[in-house]
């Protein structure tokens, strides 16, 4: 049986410490903050990131350098026969395309998965890859399965402020001003490729209910109904763990028989566009 290494990036929400326990490898996502380079989970903690974000620091997201990727691959291939790499969705970053291009020189040894996921749904793909490795599947088989099933997931996000959506150009200043005046809470969605607007609420309570309603509709229309229990259900947040824990109680009350799995910080690559205080509810097909 081939020895296969599983690699992902920090957009999965998997920390370096967790990666060691899981037996995987996590590429840290780089950020430029006020002209200085930082790496998520290496020299940039969640707390430090949000302090800088609140201080209106100039933050730009980036992707792992080709040098960092190739260095990791070359080290791993001294010990492993194959590598399965699961980057964040190609629709949200160029890191997947970069890795895929580099993998062309590692034919039949490195398999880059365009999995169309991020955060807790990406983390679920990592778990699936590990299970398939344990079952003796090849790198090509794992890649094919994860790409075939990658879009069988949903994430719904509500934000506490419109400031960062406006700053990132996702809202015009006029719309942001009206939304702030009316205290609107947009509900956003990630369905494979892009972060898009989904609905608007007047309160966080209403926004949370809208997320639950959308998840219920997805389960009923895409995943065989609530009775089938075919999905994992997870929560993510931006610097908002206390509310995320309360939200878990609401979600589990709304879906009897379901348990929320992960409650993870949302990827910093998404957080810089939506700010702190956000909550997300996600499902991934089992």
């Amino acid at each position: 049986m081939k020895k296969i290494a599983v690699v992902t990036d920090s957009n999965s929400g998997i920390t370096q410490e967790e990666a060691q326990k899981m037996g995987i490898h996590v590429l840290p996502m780089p950020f430029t903050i006020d002209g200085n380079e930082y790496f998520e989970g290496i020299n940039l903690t969640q707390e430090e990131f949000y302090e800088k974000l609140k201080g209106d620091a100039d933050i730009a997201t980036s992707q792992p350098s080709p040098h960092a990727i190739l260095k990791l691959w070359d080290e791993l291939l001294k010990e492993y026969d194959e590598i399965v790499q699961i980057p964040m969705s190609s629709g949200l970053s160029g890191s997947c395309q970069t890795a895929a291009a580099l993998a062309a020189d590692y034919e039949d040894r490195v398999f880059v998965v365009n999995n169309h996921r991020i955060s807790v749904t990406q983390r679920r793909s990592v778990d699936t890859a590990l299970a398939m490795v344990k079952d003796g599947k090849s790198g090509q088989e794992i890649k094919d399965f994860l790409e075939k099933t990658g879009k069988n997931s949903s994430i719904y996000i509500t934000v506490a402020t419109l400031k960062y959506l406006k700053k990132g150009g996702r809202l015009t200043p006029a719309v942001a001003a009206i939304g702030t005046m009316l205290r609107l809470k947009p509900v956003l969605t990630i369905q494979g490729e892009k972060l898009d607007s989904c609905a608007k609420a007047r309160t966080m309570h209403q926004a949370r209910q809208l997320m639950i309603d959308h998840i219920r509709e997805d389960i009923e229309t895409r995943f065989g109904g609530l009775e089938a229990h075919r999905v994992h259900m997870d929560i993510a947040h931006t610097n908002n763990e206390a509310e995320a824990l309360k939200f878990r109680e609401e979600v589990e009350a709304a879906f009897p028989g379901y348990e929320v799995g992960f409650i993870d910080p949302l990827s910093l690559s998404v957080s810089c566009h939506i700010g702190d205080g956000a909550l997300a509810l996600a499902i991934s097909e089992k």
Side-chain angles (χ1 to χ4, degrees):
M1 190 168 70
K2 290 182 178 179
K3 193 173 182 184
I4 300 175
V6 176
V7 178
T8 188
D9 57 46
S10 56
N11 285 301
S12 63
I14 300 172
T15 66
Q16 298 296 327
E17 293 75 19
E18 288 173 323
Q20 284 189 331
K21 294 176 184 177
M22 294 169 69
I24 68 167
H25 302 269
V26 173
L27 279 163
M29 297 302 289
F31 293 81
T32 302
I33 304 178
D34 289 336
N36 299 310
E37 189 172 53
Y38 295 87
F39 293 89
E40 183 172 356
I42 303 296
N43 62 346
L44 180 66
T45 66
Q46 291 267 331
E47 294 76 17
E48 290 168 339
F49 173 84
Y50 287 111
E51 282 180 18
K52 295 178 185 298
L53 191 67
K54 289 177 183 177
D56 286 327
D58 182 18
I59 300 178
T61 59
S62 186
Q63 57 178 287
S65 69
H67 173 75
I69 296 169
L70 295 175
K71 182 180 178 182
L72 176 60
W73 288 356
D74 289 341
E75 282 299 313
L76 289 176
L77 289 173
K78 293 176 183 177
E79 181 182 353
Y80 294 89
D81 299 306
E82 296 179 347
I83 296 170
V84 172
Q85 179 145 332
I86 308 170
M88 70 186 289
S89 171
S90 61
L92 297 167
S93 168
S95 57
C96 183
Q97 292 93 325
T98 298
L102 294 172
D105 291 332
Y106 292 77
E107 188 176 1
D108 298 327
R109 299 207 71 190
V110 176
F111 300 88
V112 176
V113 180
N114 188 1
N115 191 223
H116 308 289
R117 295 189 181 190
I118 193 170
S119 187
V120 285
T121 58
Q122 184 180 353
R123 183 180 183 126
R124 288 293 182 183
S125 294
V126 172
D127 283 349
T128 298
L130 287 172
M132 293 183 74
V133 169
K134 191 175 180 180
D135 286 343
K137 303 299 183 183
S138 68
Q140 185 66 59
E141 287 174 314
I142 297 169
K143 170 183 163 72
D144 291 345
F145 181 79
L146 291 181
E147 290 189 340
K148 179 181 177 182
T149 60
K151 291 186 178 180
N152 296 348
S153 64
S154 298
I155 302 178
Y156 294 95
I157 307 168
T158 187
V159 302
T161 174
L162 299 177
K163 173 181 176 179
Y164 301 98
L165 290 171
K166 174 187 173 184
K167 188 176 180 180
R170 292 187 177 274
L171 293 177
T172 66
V175 170
I178 292 170
T180 300
M181 182 175 66
L182 297 177
R183 297 184 178 179
L184 293 178
K185 309 294 181 187
V187 175
L188 311 172
T189 183
I190 300 175
Q191 298 278 352
E193 292 293 335
K194 300 289 186 181
L195 180 67
D196 290 320
S197 177
C198 178
K200 295 182 180 67
R202 287 294 182 91
T203 65
M204 284 298 286
H205 174 74
Q206 186 183 20
R208 292 196 300 269
Q209 186 58 52
L210 281 170
M211 289 194 290
I212 288 172
D213 291 344
H214 281 292
I215 287 290
R216 186 187 307 278
E217 182 180 355
D218 280 354
I219 293 174
E220 292 287 4
T221 59
R222 296 170 56 202
F223 299 106
L226 292 170
E227 297 78 13
H229 288 271
R230 280 175 46 196
V231 298
H232 297 289
M233 198 172 289
D234 302 297
I235 289 173
H237 63 91
T238 59
N239 200 30
N240 199 19
E241 186 174 16
E243 288 301 312
L245 292 170
K246 292 179 185 177
F247 188 36
R248 175 174 64 184
E249 296 177 6
E250 290 181 49
V251 170
E252 291 182 345
F255 297 97
Y258 284 77
E259 290 186 3
V260 171
F262 301 121
I263 300 180
D264 283 354
L266 199 59
S267 153
L268 295 185
S269 295
V270 174
S271 303
C272 66
H273 297 297
I274 62 176
D276 66 344
L279 287 173
L281 181 58
I283 52 172
S284 310
E285 188 173 31
K286 292 181 179 178

